[in-house]
Amino acid sequence: MYCMKKRAVLLAVLLAAFVVVNTSAWAQSICDAVSGNLVVNCGFETGDFTGWSFTGNTGFSGVTSSVTYVNSGTYGAYLGPVGSDGFLSQNVGAAGVTSYAVSFYLYNDGGSPNDFTVYWNGVDVGPDLVDASGFSYSLFGGVLSGNPCAGCNTLTFGFRQDPAYWGLDDIVVLGGTSVPEPSSLILMGSGILGLAGVIRRKLGA
């Protein structure tokens, strides 16, 4: 049943992507305009996962120009593994830097089961969303301690969305402690993992 629904939704995504590609001008993602962003292909504007490693359950996931899964620019990622988690990761870092401001935009179609969290150097740093209700693109972020060398920190997104999809776009990692656009942040980080329950309640409201 889930697979049938997935195929129908995926077909709609691909058709919408075809329409957008043929009617809209190419645009730059907002993350590309962030000076010092350490993330390669931060808004998936290559039209694929270039610069990223995609492991685990890679089913029902990819890059699309469907407006549903695009926060800015032309492309965004749709993520919908069924039955187990997929993982999208990239190595980032800068010489002499030990604090990193990490932010990203996340969308959820809703439905359950679903889960989404972030790992930094293999450690779960939240937001640990589980069976979250649907929500529009929202900014998540926090400041994390890391290793002071180029490419020696691993940022990983873990996700599952059986009946539908997550959307992921505009990922930023900066050396320092200033998170872009902090006014609407839902924070993550090892020092504030207690907020996970609050986040679930807020998104489920």
Side-chain angles (χ1 to χ4, degrees), residues 31-118:
C31 62
D32 290 314
V34 176
S35 179
N37 188 6
L38 299 171
V39 178
V40 175
N41 196 19
C42 61
F44 309 107
E45 292 304 304
T46 60
D48 56 24
F49 288 130
T50 295
W52 294 89
S53 175
F54 195 11
T55 58
N57 186 344
T58 61
F60 299 106
S61 300
V63 174
T64 181
S65 57
S66 168
V67 294
T68 300
Y69 303 104
V70 175
N71 182 63
S72 74
T74 301
Y75 291 101
Y78 64 94
L79 309 169
V82 175
S84 60
D85 282 7
F87 300 94
L88 194 63
S89 62
Q90 185 173 141
N91 294 328
V92 296
V97 176
T98 57
S99 290
Y100 295 88
V102 180
S103 64
F104 58 92
Y105 281 85
L106 183 66
Y107 164 92
N108 186 23
D109 277 324
S112 62
N114 69 61
D115 64 67
F116 188 97
T117 198
V118 178

Side-chain angles (χ1 to χ4, degrees), residues 1-15 54 57-62 69 77-86 107-115 159-167:
M1 179 177 176
Y2 280 149
C3 287
M4 289 178 63
K5 183 174 182 180
K6 281 286 190 179
R7 292 191 184 100
V9 174
L10 182 58
L11 178 60
V13 168
L14 294 175
L15 289 174
F54 195 11
N57 186 344
T58 61
F60 299 106
S61 300
Y69 303 104
Y78 64 94
L79 309 169
V82 175
S84 60
D85 282 7
Y107 164 92
N108 186 23
D109 277 324
S112 62
N114 69 61
D115 64 67
F159 42 82
R160 169 184 176 179
Q161 227 294 7
D162 285 35
Y165 298 91
W166 296 97

